[in-house]
Amino acid sequence: QVRLHESGGGSVQAGGSLRLSCAASGITYSSNCMGWFRQAPGKEREGVATIYTGDNSTYYADSVKGRFTVSQDNTGNTVYLLMNSLKPEDTAMYYCAADLFTTCGSFWYTGRTYKYWGQGTQVTVSS
């Protein structure tokens, strides 16, 4: 059974940094599309970043390019989201998602292709 567990959220002032982690269990494939999404109250879910663990290809939403970095550990079972220069508008619940044995498609940001989701970790950025 595939499970995803996010951690690393918290409260930070604008301009600060946080690193989120997504620990995956039950995944036997080594090449998967792992994504980070967020949802703020009253807003739609937004694709933030994604990584194809097969070749480390990464993709980002325009709103976070240059500030956020998605990466994986050597095993591919843990994916990270390093968030720098945080802004109040980054405040949201952040979710990790996985689509197994596949590259990340052009429409990754919709979240529709990801089959597995974590419970989320809250990020709050104060001004």
Side-chain angles (χ1 to χ4, degrees):
Q1 184 176 2
V2 175
R3 292 188 177 178
L4 305 175
H5 178 70
E6 305 94 336
S7 62
S11 296
V12 65
Q13 288 193 327
S17 299
L18 283 173
R19 189 179 79 157
L20 305 183
S21 298
C22 171
S25 60
I27 295 179
T28 56
Y29 305 120
S30 60
S31 300
N32 307 296
C33 181
M34 304 291 292
W36 286 98
F37 293 80
R38 66 187 182 187
Q39 188 165 22
K43 293 189 177 181
E44 292 188 355
R45 184 180 64 197
E46 175 188 16
V48 176
T50 196
I51 182 169
Y52 172 54
T53 61
D55 64 7
N56 274 321
S57 298
T58 57
Y59 307 89
Y60 297 91
D62 288 343
S63 59
V64 305
K65 276 181 184 175
R67 300 189 298 124
F68 291 11
T69 303
V70 60
S71 62
Q72 61 172 324
D73 70 354
N74 290 338
T75 68
N77 289 333
T78 300
V79 175
Y80 305 100
L81 184 68
L82 176 62
M83 305 184 296
N84 293 323
S85 302
L86 282 162
K87 304 175 181 179
E89 51 263 44
D90 294 317
T91 295
M93 184 72 79
Y94 282 70
Y95 299 91
C96 175
D99 191 16
L100 304 185
F101 201 50
T102 182
T103 56
C104 302
S106 299
F107 297 99
W108 65 269
Y109 54 89
T110 67
R112 296 193 193 110
T113 60
Y114 296 82
K115 296 179 179 61
Y116 303 97
W117 293 79
Q119 295 298 308
T121 185
Q122 178 67 38
V123 171
T124 302
V125 184
S126 57
S127 57

